[in-house]
Amino acid sequence: MSEQRITISLPNLLLIVASSLLLVLLWQLRSLLVILMISVVLAASIVPIVNWAQTMRVPRWLAVIMVYLTLIGGFSGTVVLIGPTVIEQIELLLRQLPVYVESLRTVATNLLSRLTDDAPTLVGQLVDTQSLTNWLIRSSQQLVLRSYSLTRGILGGVFSLVLALFISGYMVADSDTLIKSLVQFFPKPWDARLAAQAAPIGQRMGSYIRGRVLVSGILGIFITTGLSILGMPEFALGLGAIAGVTNLIPFIGPVLGAVPALIVALAKGGWVLLWVLLLFVIIQNLETYVLDPLLVGSSVGVHPLYQLLSVLGGVQVLGIIGAVIVPPWFAGVAALIENLYLKPKLRSEHREAIDRAKNNSDLPPLTPSA
């Protein structure tokens, strides 16, 4: 039996060492990478507005500044107007959360009492009010802190946001030069092919994030108005803000936004729970069949299962930030793969099929033997 020896050449060894060092470097720079990911998403979202302003003979750099000043002013004004009320209502909601969880436990006990006499004991074993409340608060905090830890505190978070805005503004203002400097590292004809993909990738990423922000804002307003009408004005703005923010997360966001409102409605009793549940069902159908097709459309361009996996992966790695920025990046990568690999592959297969059909048609017809 002959012995097999595994040999590694010096170039391969150097490649392994260099790859390992690169991975370590990227891990150390993960905060900067997240800032770059956010910057690209922000840049892709404002490019159409800047391009439109440029067609009106506004210098590109000035258009970028005007767009960002408008967005920052609008966001700051919204925070000043409704921010204190939203924070006050959310704090009140957190203080009363144990009471609402206890009401949930009471409802569960009453329902189980119709099935068994040991309902209080069974519910007590399955649902510990204090533990459930602590778990809800702790899980929310961990999800926020996973994103928060990337920014190294409040000052780090503010600095990271300012840096992301600055980088994204520079990307948009000097996009042509930036793209040329990046693709020049690739051999021909890949440099031209990659440069041609910058526009479709940016369009897909930008349309996705713009659509999600618009849909979330509209649904937040609808939910706030609906909850106020249905007898929950003391929490309507806070719950509407929660639902609007969580709706930025595809698939799981609408469910997360509905849970707090349903818990409060359950504690109020009567027909409130039914009406609030009906409100969220109507809102969800409005988003699925009207707003998403109209404002988001087929921006992602991939199967919903892959979209869901991208959301879950983003949450696992980057928390709430990941749930918002990973899907548009996934959409951009999908556009790149589609344009550089899938479409050329399908065209090549189509040409081969045509050539085969031509060759078969050129063959002389078979004649029956005598």
Side-chain angles (χ1 to χ4, degrees), residues 39 42 64 68 160-172:
S39 301
L42 290 174
V64 173
Y68 272 123
S160 298
L161 179 59
V162 173
L163 184 60
L165 291 173
F166 177 79
I167 293 175
S168 63
Y170 180 81
M171 287 178 177
V172 178

Side-chain angles (χ1 to χ4, degrees), residues 259-272:
V259 169
L262 292 175
I263 292 176
V264 176
L266 181 64
K268 287 184 172 294
W271 288 90
V272 178

Side-chain angles (χ1 to χ4, degrees), residues 5 100 132 147-148 178 181 187 282 300 354:
R5 295 183 179 180
Y100 296 145
L132 182 58
S147 302
Y148 178 76
L178 181 61
S181 64
I282 294 174
V300 179
I354 293 176

Side-chain angles (χ1 to χ4, degrees), residues 6 36 105 130 151 203 209 260 282 293 303:
I6 300 176
L36 288 176
R105 178 178 177 176
Q130 188 62 36
T151 60
Q203 190 274 336
I209 198 66
I282 294 174
H303 194 277

